[in-house]
């Protein structure tokens, strides 16, 4: 057959396939979400997320060491306090769980880049992401508390803050607070495009952050909408976000691609707890090959355009990169 153009030519052999690969990945782009809790000597497995643990501050170094050896240099911290109240005061307490974890992390792992999730849901007795007015979250009153929380994290050693609450105007409020306190060089990674998703169930189990009533559809986005995602991302960049995030990842890769085209800042994708749990469950039942699914879902996020990838499989992905299986 007389064929001038043969796409298969560039698929002939592993060396050539890697040479012409369109999507390239590096362990430096991986961010591992780690749960830290009060107590001593604790590393308790999360039932809905096999292989993931809640660590007390004195034992989180076990995981940080393992991540470091694999080549993962960034984590995002989620705090699990013992005490909760109506306004989530533990979120900005000087001796709060995240603040204590940051002190230990920066002492023992000074080269590990520490990002903190800034939200109220783990700290409020009602489980919502802000101050309540009746059964609704009061957007503007919540901004002050989010700003106090972000500032306390940075003062405790956070390298970056990541507000995940989805309150209008929170990036601007946090940026103003940090700048006035002299932290003009601390970047903000906003959860700009965060959908009200069924994929968050295992996380709420892990963090004990399920709402006591209602749901979060009043502030998280409707998954039917895509133009709204661009509006949210552009607004956050205008307010001072240095990076923006799309969450979840797996079923929102179209939004990763659209946001990537719309903004001129790095774009992160968060492969959330439900995505992790699905792969784990399928592998446990023998229905899928876990390693192959880890690689394929990770590559799909980068192929869609993400620059940073938050994933509970960060350690495994970094090792696969080193082995040349992906990247």
């Amino acid at each position: 057959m007389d064929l001038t153009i043969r796409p298969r030519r560039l698929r002939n052999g592993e060396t050539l396939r890697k040479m012409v690969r369109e999507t390239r990945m590096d362990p430096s782009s991986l961010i591992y979400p780690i749960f830290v809790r009060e107590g001593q000597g604790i590393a308790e497995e999360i039932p809905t997320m096999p292989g993931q643990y809640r660590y007390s501050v004195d034992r989180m170094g076990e995981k940080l060491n393992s991540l470091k050896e694999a080549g993962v240099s960034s984590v995002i911290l989620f705090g699990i306090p013992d005490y909760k109240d109506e306004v989530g005061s533990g979120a900005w307490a000087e001796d709060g769980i995240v603040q204590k974890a940051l002190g230990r992390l920066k002492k023992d792992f000074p080269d590990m880049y520490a990002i903190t999730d800034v939200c109220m849901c783990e700290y409020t007795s009602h489980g919502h992401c802000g101050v309540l007015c009746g059964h609704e979250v009061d957007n503007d009153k919540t901004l002050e508390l989010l700003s106090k929380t972000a500032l306390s994290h940075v003062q405790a050693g956070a390298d970056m803050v990541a507000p995940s609450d989805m309150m209008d105007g929170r990036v601007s409020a946090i940026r103003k607070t940090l700048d006035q306190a002299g932290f003009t060089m601390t970047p903000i990674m906003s959860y700009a495009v965060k959908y009200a998703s069924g994929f968050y169930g295992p996380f709420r189990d892990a963090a004990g952050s399920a709402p006591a009533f209602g749901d979060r559809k009043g502030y998280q986005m409707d998954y039917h909408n895509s133009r709204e995602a661009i509006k949210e991302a552009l607004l956050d960049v205008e307010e001072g976000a240095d990076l923006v995030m799309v969450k979840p990842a797996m079923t929102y890769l179209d939004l990763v691609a659209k946001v990537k085209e719309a903004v001129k800042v790095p774009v992160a994708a968060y492969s959330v707890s439900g995505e992790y749990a699905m792969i784990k469950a399928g592998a446990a039942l023998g229905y899928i090959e876990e390693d192959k699914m880890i690689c394929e879902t990770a590559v799909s996020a980068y192929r869609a355009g993400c620059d940073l990838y938050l994933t509970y499989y960060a350690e495994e992905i970094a090792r696969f990169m080193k082995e040349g299986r992906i990247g």
Side-chain angles (χ1 to χ4, degrees):
M1 186 176 291
D2 185 17
L3 290 177
T4 302
I5 299 173
R6 292 181 180 266
R8 286 183 56 190
R9 289 192 191 108
L10 297 184
R11 303 170 195 156
N12 189 22
E14 186 67 15
T15 299
L16 180 57
R17 285 200 298 272
K18 286 185 177 180
M19 191 185 304
V20 298
R21 185 167 286 168
E22 296 175 20
T23 303
R24 299 187 183 273
M25 303 153 61
D26 186 270
S28 63
S29 64
L30 296 168
I31 301 170
Y32 178 74
I34 186 167
F35 298 98
V36 289
R37 56 156 296 170
E38 299 285 2
Q40 294 286 322
I42 298 170
E44 57 184 7
E45 189 170 26
I46 300 164
T48 51
M49 299 177 67
Q52 301 301 311
Y53 294 79
R54 305 179 191 95
Y55 296 97
S56 54
V57 171
D58 62 317
R59 290 198 61 182
M60 69 177 181
E62 298 168 18
K63 183 61 178 180
L64 296 176
N65 262 322
S66 184
L67 290 167
K68 184 177 178 181
E69 290 173 3
V72 178
S73 57
S74 302
V75 295
I76 182 166
L77 292 152
F78 293 90
I80 305 170
D82 279 345
Y83 171 77
K84 302 185 180 190
D85 59 28
E86 284 292 303
V87 296
S89 60
W92 64 84
E94 189 174 337
D95 61 347
I97 180 59
V98 167
Q99 290 80 354
K100 289 188 288 190
L102 284 166
R104 185 65 171 264
L105 184 152
K106 284 302 174 182
K107 177 178 177 290
D108 296 344
F109 298 87
D111 295 331
M112 185 69 72
Y113 196 84
I115 307 165
T116 58
D117 177 79
V118 177
C119 196
M120 312 305 298
C121 61
E122 297 104 320
Y123 303 90
T124 55
S125 53
H126 47 75
H128 279 281
C129 299
V131 181
L132 292 183
C133 179
H135 277 62
E136 298 292 330
V137 174
D138 189 314
N139 188 97
D140 294 5
K141 287 183 179 179
T142 299
L143 299 184
E144 180 183 352
L145 304 187
L146 293 168
S147 298
K148 288 170 64 174
T149 300
L151 178 59
S152 74
H153 287 180
V154 176
Q155 289 171 331
D159 298 300
M160 178 189 292
V161 292
S164 62
D165 54 283
M166 288 302 286
M167 297 297 118
D168 294 339
R170 88 270 205 213
V171 173
S172 178
I174 291 171
R175 183 74 274 158
K176 182 179 179 181
T177 296
L178 294 181
D179 287 355
Q180 288 178 343
F183 296 106
T184 58
M185 295 303 292
T186 300
I188 297 172
M189 174 170 63
S190 75
Y191 288 63
V193 182
K194 182 178 180 181
Y195 284 90
S197 171
F199 283 90
Y200 301 150
F203 176 92
R204 290 171 184 169
D205 174 44
S209 62
F213 60 87
D215 54 39
R216 297 181 176 132
K217 292 180 180 178
Y219 38 101
Q220 294 177 0
M221 290 174 55
D222 181 348
Y223 58 72
H224 295 81
N225 297 352
S226 62
R227 287 182 298 175
E228 184 183 9
I230 306 305
K231 178 175 73 173
E232 287 279 12
L234 291 174
L235 276 171
D236 281 6
V237 171
E238 184 180 337
E239 289 180 20
D242 303 282
L243 312 90
V244 296
M245 184 197 300
V246 176
K247 180 183 180 185
M250 182 187 291
T251 52
Y252 296 85
L253 297 182
D254 58 323
L255 277 310
V256 173
K258 289 179 180 180
V259 170
K260 178 74 170 184
E261 291 180 5
V263 302
K264 303 302 179 185
V265 299
V267 175
Y270 194 152
S271 181
V272 298
S273 58
E275 300 173 41
Y276 174 88
M278 285 170 59
I279 294 174
K280 277 290 182 184
L285 291 168
Y287 294 164
I288 58 173
E289 295 181 62
E290 185 175 9
D291 288 3
K292 289 184 177 179
M293 292 293 287
I294 293 170
C295 294
E296 191 169 339
T297 52
V299 169
S300 70
Y302 287 91
R303 189 180 63 238
C306 83
D307 302 292
L308 302 169
Y309 192 48
L310 293 84
T311 172
Y312 300 95
Y313 279 122
E315 184 176 337
E316 291 85 347
I317 293 169
R319 295 192 191 282
F320 293 155
M321 289 178 183
K322 284 186 176 180
E323 294 167 5
R325 294 169 64 176
I326 54 173

